[in-house]
Amino acid sequence: MNFEIALVWESLPKIVEGMGLTIELLLISLTLGTALSVVLVLMRISGIPALVWPAFLYIYVFRGTPMLVQLFIVYHGLAQFEFVRNSVLWVFLREPFWCAIIAFSLNVAAYTAEILRGGIQGVDRGLHEAGRALGLKPYQRFLHVTAPIAIRLSLPAYGNEIISLLKGTALVSLITMYDITGVARTIVARTFAPYEIFVSAAIVYLCLTWLIQRGVGLAERRFGRYVRR
Amino acid sequence: MTDPARPIILLDRVTKSFGAFQALKGVSLEIARGQKVVVCGPSGSGKSTMIRCINRLEEHNGGRIVVDGIELTASIKDIDAVRREVGMVFQQFNLFPHLTAVENLMLAPRLVRKMPRREARELAMHYLERVHIPEQADKYPSQLSGGQQQRVAIARSLCMKPQIMLFDEPTSALDPEMIKEVLDVMGELAAEGMTMIVVTHEMGFARSVADLVIFMDKGEIVEQGPPATFFANPRNERTKTFLGQILTH
Ligand SMILES: Nc1ncnc2c1ncn2[C@@H]1O[C@H](COP(=O)(O)OP(=O)(O)OP(=O)(O)O)[C@@H](O)[C@H]1O
Ligand SMILES: [Mg+2]
């Protein structure tokens, strides 16, 4: 096998052009998905069956199916419905970009809801009792005691979820989009040099992963000042 | 409201069950304003359950509990009123780990009493001075010793200006050299006239501070009396056995 290191370097600038789309997909679906996850986890822990069960079912479905299948369902599936094509939302839904955002956000929401639930369960029961004994109302205990501690406890798993999502964004190359992987594939089609080009793509992903890990590390330190090390 | 003759805490044949298990089997007790009561008894005898019923961390199933004229019922409004009157200190301190010492003290006054930040901070510093650790104000609980943490917890309760303080084995989780600093603070509080119920096996504290010592076993108050008679002439066999165990060891 001959491996041209020079080709890796030459293709890097092109591939970096696809990085913009990757980052956009990552940030938008992370934001939307995390916002939705907060709603989901509140439903999940509400103790009200009419809220718990839909949230449970949602999480079960989205964690139990591949993200690629979810993406295909949104991308190919929704267009089958007449009422979807006639609705105002069609402006978005016919764009692969928004299909990806929808699928990724829904997926991230399910995982993040479970991560947050784990964090909330990790908060010491004694702290709830101390809050009750001091006369704090349930929502005050949640906002001022449970939530800040749960966020700190959830951060490492959430960091992993961001990295999973970063890797998951590569799926958009299968629905005609030119993210890092999508650009790499077009270059491969021209140059017939899959090793070098995909190594180049891998390097770009690794740089992004490193950035995410740094970011989460900083956040852990910021939210975890109180943890003795 | 403040009829001095009326007991500030009244328990009348209180029962509490966890499923089929009866943790309190009809406990009756009257505590006058300013009285200091020490509760002792073997593990599982219902000491924690009894005091947790007084601020309704547990709901009793039968009998009556009246705190400062407010009967504890299912009505939420009364519960908040009672919790404002009753402070509680736990064996495990239960300080909020993400807040500094002074922030731990400020939280309830700000949220429950709607106190402005500056005023809450002044109040908090005042109580940190009372427990002799104003210099630790800006440390997180994880940076404090056990004894310091427990004193912060006491100060945190005092910030709500309670009429009654409940202590559930406040020194059991402490290293021996830190027990005294916590008991000293509690002694000072007692000297200022606070009504206190203290679950503890520190019999020295009971002797010097308590007006009344209560011995519980199997969900019942088996014996009670002023410390002098309680320790000198326990009448009940179970009390004698128990005292024999903890005083010799
Ligand atoms: N939440 C609960 N669910 C079930 N059983 C409980 C619960 N809380 C207490 N109990 C039971 O009630 C009994 C009395 O418990 P309690 O904690 O009041 O005892 P205690 O006298 O404080 O003992 P210790 O000295 O060990 O703290 C015990 O047998 C305990 O197992
Ligand atoms: Mg106990």
Side-chain angles (χ1 to χ4, degrees):
Chain A
M1 166 190 138
N2 58 342
F3 186 93
E4 279 189 62
I5 221 70
L7 208 49
V8 174
W9 291 117
E10 281 163 29
S11 59
L12 263 180
K14 266 262 169 255
I15 284 175
V16 166
E17 278 172 32
M19 197 173 75
L21 178 59
T22 296
I23 291 176
E24 240 176 281
L25 287 166
L26 177 74
L27 291 184
I28 298 178
S29 28
L30 192 65
T31 309
L32 295 177
T34 304
L36 182 56
S37 76
V38 174
V39 178
L40 279 172
V41 77
L42 290 177
M43 289 170 67
R44 186 78 174 78
I45 63 169
S46 66
I48 303 166
L51 298 177
V52 173
W53 280 102
F56 177 83
L57 198 68
Y58 175 96
I59 292 167
Y60 183 76
V61 167
F62 277 88
R63 293 208 314 162
T65 53
M67 193 154 79
L68 179 59
V69 171
Q70 295 161 13
L71 180 64
F72 280 165
I73 288 176
V74 175
Y75 181 64
H76 298 295
L78 289 181
Q80 307 291 319
F81 296 100
E82 177 102 25
F83 74 89
V84 175
R85 272 178 281 139
N86 291 338
S87 78
V88 254
L89 287 178
W90 185 237
V91 186
F92 292 111
L93 292 179
R94 71 178 174 204
E95 298 282 341
F97 178 79
W98 288 106
C99 289
I101 293 286
I102 290 171
F104 295 166
S105 302
L106 295 177
N107 185 278
V108 166
Y111 278 94
T112 307
E114 278 303 274
I115 291 170
L116 290 175
R117 193 168 69 96
I120 289 169
Q121 283 172 340
V123 177
D124 190 343
R125 264 197 55 192
L127 301 182
H128 289 279
E129 298 198 331
R132 280 165 74 196
L134 286 166
L136 303 189
K137 299 210 160 41
Y139 80 90
Q140 294 174 324
R141 298 201 296 271
F142 186 81
L143 278 182
H144 295 272
V145 180
T146 308
I149 299 170
I151 288 172
R152 167 67 185 79
L153 293 176
S154 302
L155 272 176
Y158 186 61
N160 289 339
E161 176 56 22
I162 301 175
I163 292 168
S164 290
L165 176 62
L166 169 69
K167 294 183 289 191
T169 57
L171 298 174
V172 298
S173 66
L174 300 174
I175 57 168
T176 73
M177 293 177 73
Y178 299 100
D179 70 324
I180 294 171
T181 307
V183 170
R185 282 171 32 139
T186 57
I187 305 177
V188 170
R190 259 191 298 113
T191 60
F192 304 104
Y195 298 125
E196 291 85 347
I197 308 303
F198 283 125
V199 165
S200 184
I203 290 171
V204 178
Y205 280 115
L206 279 177
C207 291
L208 289 177
T209 300
W210 182 82
L211 277 177
I212 292 169
Q213 275 172 341
R214 282 293 308 238
V216 173
L218 284 177
E220 276 182 50
R221 231 159 299 153
R222 168 72 182 71
F223 283 97
R225 279 168 306 189
Y226 61 86
V227 181
R228 202 210 303 252
R229 21 181 131 254
Chain B
M1 281 295 279
T2 48
D3 170 10
R6 195 188 58 195
I8 191 166
I9 298 173
L10 173 78
L11 306 191
D12 181 18
R13 285 161 293 170
V14 172
T15 59
K16 169 69 188 174
S17 301
F18 295 105
F21 177 79
Q22 203 172 10
L24 296 180
K25 301 173 183 161
V27 170
S28 295
L29 182 65
E30 280 188 19
I31 297 174
R33 195 172 288 277
Q35 211 174 5
K36 290 91 180 96
V37 179
V38 161
V39 182
C40 60
S43 181
S45 57
K47 308 178 298 289
S48 298
T49 306
M50 178 179 81
I51 67 168
R52 288 161 60 84
C53 281
I54 293 173
N55 68 348
R56 215 171 172 76
L57 287 183
E58 304 286 359
E59 291 182 22
H60 59 292
N61 308 123
R64 293 170 65 224
I65 301 179
V66 184
V67 179
D68 202 16
I70 305 169
E71 171 145 13
L72 303 196
T73 61
S75 146
I76 275 294
K77 201 168 163 291
D78 288 355
I79 297 324
D80 285 341
V82 167
R83 289 195 178 138
R84 279 196 294 270
E85 302 295 321
V86 183
M88 185 160 202
V89 174
F90 302 86
Q91 181 175 349
Q92 300 299 338
F93 327 137
N94 294 344
L95 291 177
F96 304 126
H98 61 302
L99 301 178
T100 61
V102 70
E103 287 167 348
N104 262 275
L105 271 63
M106 290 162 63
L107 189 67
R110 291 188 61 205
L111 296 178
V112 180
R113 302 247 191 252
K114 310 289 176 209
M115 198 179 272
R117 214 189 153 76
R118 251 198 57 202
E119 202 181 321
R121 201 183 159 88
E122 278 168 21
L123 177 80
M125 287 311 300
H126 169 76
Y127 281 105
L128 282 179
E129 269 156 39
R130 290 242 330 235
V131 299
H132 317 302
I133 37 175
E135 75 284 356
Q136 310 290 349
D138 294 315
K139 288 199 182 160
Y140 287 98
S142 63
Q143 299 167 316
L144 301 175
S145 73
Q148 291 171 330
Q149 288 187 60
Q150 192 61 296
R151 285 185 284 153
V152 172
I154 293 172
R156 178 176 67 177
S157 284
L158 293 177
C159 274
M160 293 301 284
K161 304 209 158 87
Q163 307 278 323
I164 300 160
M165 286 286 287
L166 308 174
F167 294 84
D168 193 355
E169 306 205 32
T171 57
S172 300
L174 296 178
D175 294 335
E177 71 272 18
M178 294 171 189
I179 291 177
K180 185 176 177 304
E181 67 190 48
V182 171
L183 291 180
D184 285 349
V185 164
M186 290 167 61
E188 289 162 23
L189 201 57
E192 290 162 22
M194 177 67 79
T195 309
M196 295 165 62
I197 305 184
V198 185
V199 177
T200 184
H201 293 160
E202 293 294 331
M203 291 303 136
F205 177 82
R207 276 207 183 83
S208 61
V209 174
D211 311 307
L212 182 69
V213 183
I214 287 176
F215 174 71
M216 288 183 74
D217 192 21
K218 303 199 172 85
E220 292 170 320
I221 295 180
V222 173
E223 181 153 0
Q224 55 179 301
T229 46
F230 181 89
F231 290 113
N233 314 303
R235 277 160 306 176
N236 189 289
E237 278 311 314
R238 284 188 274 175
T239 319
K240 285 181 196 166
T241 317
F242 177 76
L243 286 178
Q245 281 164 1
I246 62 165
L247 293 180
T248 51
H249 110 162

